[in-house]
Amino acid sequence: MSPEHGGTRTFVNPLTPPGVYAPQEDTELLIGALSDEPVPPDADVLDVGTGSGALALEAARRGTRVTAVDVSWRAACAARLNALMAGVPVRVRRGNLFDPVRGESFDLILTNPPYVPAPGGERPPRGAARAWDAGGDGRLVLDRICREAPALLRPGGVLLLVQSALSSPELTLGHLREAGMKAAVTRRRHIAFGPVLRAREHWLREQGLLPPAENAENKEELVVVRAELPV
């Protein structure tokens, strides 16, 4: 997940209490990828790091059986409330990534994980920053998803993941392909820096994650990775 960017959204925002990640452009980009996916109404869908439940609600409106997971109690409660208000069934579980659904399998996994590189990345993020800070290279959670998601997919199942170009989409593609999946970037969008990236701009340039200031556009590229497990 990326911190606030602002901008126009085409989906209905669910309620987001303080401390719960509010849907942003990355959420919208992933919802667009979901709309392209031919998911049958009886499919089992997993939304990992659900936040307020925006992705889970979109999947549930298509008649799928949706499980939403988040490590935050506030997020889990918000997702339950938003599903109730939307009148769609969503099974919500609180836990760390895939831990609450061990032994289960899914036709589709959706995830907008933390992916923003953070200084002092050896320290676990706290509070709201858990929704976006992901270690010094931004891959603290992405690498775990690449390792663990394939085992939860049924043959022909699909993983849809959104991340920043700052956190090496090429590594995501490589790890997923090594796991036997067909993986590619299917959507891209450039957005203006939000407050967190503006505050870290100098550090990101020092790390070589952004080009030198004289070549700067002050924009971040978001990408959707689609990976399919062969039948």
Side-chain angles (χ1 to χ4, degrees):
M1 299 183 185
S2 185
E4 289 186 23
H5 295 295
T8 303
R9 304 180 184 93
T10 59
F11 56 90
V12 178
N13 276 332
L15 294 176
T16 51
V20 176
Y21 181 75
Q24 306 292 333
E25 281 92 339
D26 50 4
T27 313
E28 183 179 8
L29 195 64
L30 196 51
I31 285 176
L34 171 61
S35 68
D36 291 340
E37 206 61 39
V39 185
D42 60 346
D44 288 299
V45 178
L46 175 64
D47 177 22
V48 179
T50 192
S52 62
L55 286 162
L57 298 184
E58 290 293 326
R61 291 186 181 106
R62 296 178 61 174
T64 63
R65 293 185 294 268
V66 180
T67 299
V69 174
D70 204 289
V71 71
S72 162
W73 280 111
R74 288 188 181 187
C77 291
R80 287 192 184 100
L81 177 59
N82 284 317
L84 182 65
M85 294 177 62
V88 293
V90 175
R91 183 180 67 148
V92 180
R93 295 289 182 267
R94 188 259 175 183
N96 191 344
L97 284 183
F98 302 110
D99 288 349
V101 292
R102 297 294 179 194
E104 300 183 40
S105 61
F106 300 89
D107 301 292
L108 176 65
I109 296 176
L110 306 168
T111 182
N112 179 4
Y115 54 67
V116 178
E122 69 280 357
R123 298 190 304 271
R126 301 179 62 184
R130 289 187 302 177
W132 55 78
D133 280 355
D137 59 1
R139 299 200 57 84
L140 187 65
V141 180
L142 284 166
D143 285 339
R144 183 175 165 191
I145 290 171
C146 291
R147 288 194 305 268
E148 300 182 17
L152 277 77
L153 285 169
R154 295 167 183 162
V158 170
L159 168 69
L160 291 176
L161 175 154
V162 65
Q163 69 170 94
S164 171
L166 297 175
S167 47
S168 305
E170 63 277 7
L171 287 179
T172 300
L173 294 171
H175 292 330
L176 292 170
R177 289 167 182 164
E178 288 172 4
M181 302 189 73
K182 297 182 290 185
V185 171
T186 57
R187 285 184 174 235
R188 299 178 183 269
R189 179 180 298 177
H190 287 85
I191 60 174
F193 284 175
V196 171
L197 287 192
R198 286 198 299 270
R200 294 180 187 172
E201 183 178 349
H202 180 69
W203 177 81
L204 290 166
R205 297 195 194 286
E206 285 184 333
Q207 304 306 304
L209 296 172
L210 287 174
E214 58 269 19
N215 300 323
E217 294 184 7
N218 291 335
K219 287 191 175 182
E220 176 189 14
E221 183 182 27
L222 302 176
V223 304
V224 172
V225 172
R226 181 186 187 275
E228 182 174 345
L229 191 67
V231 176

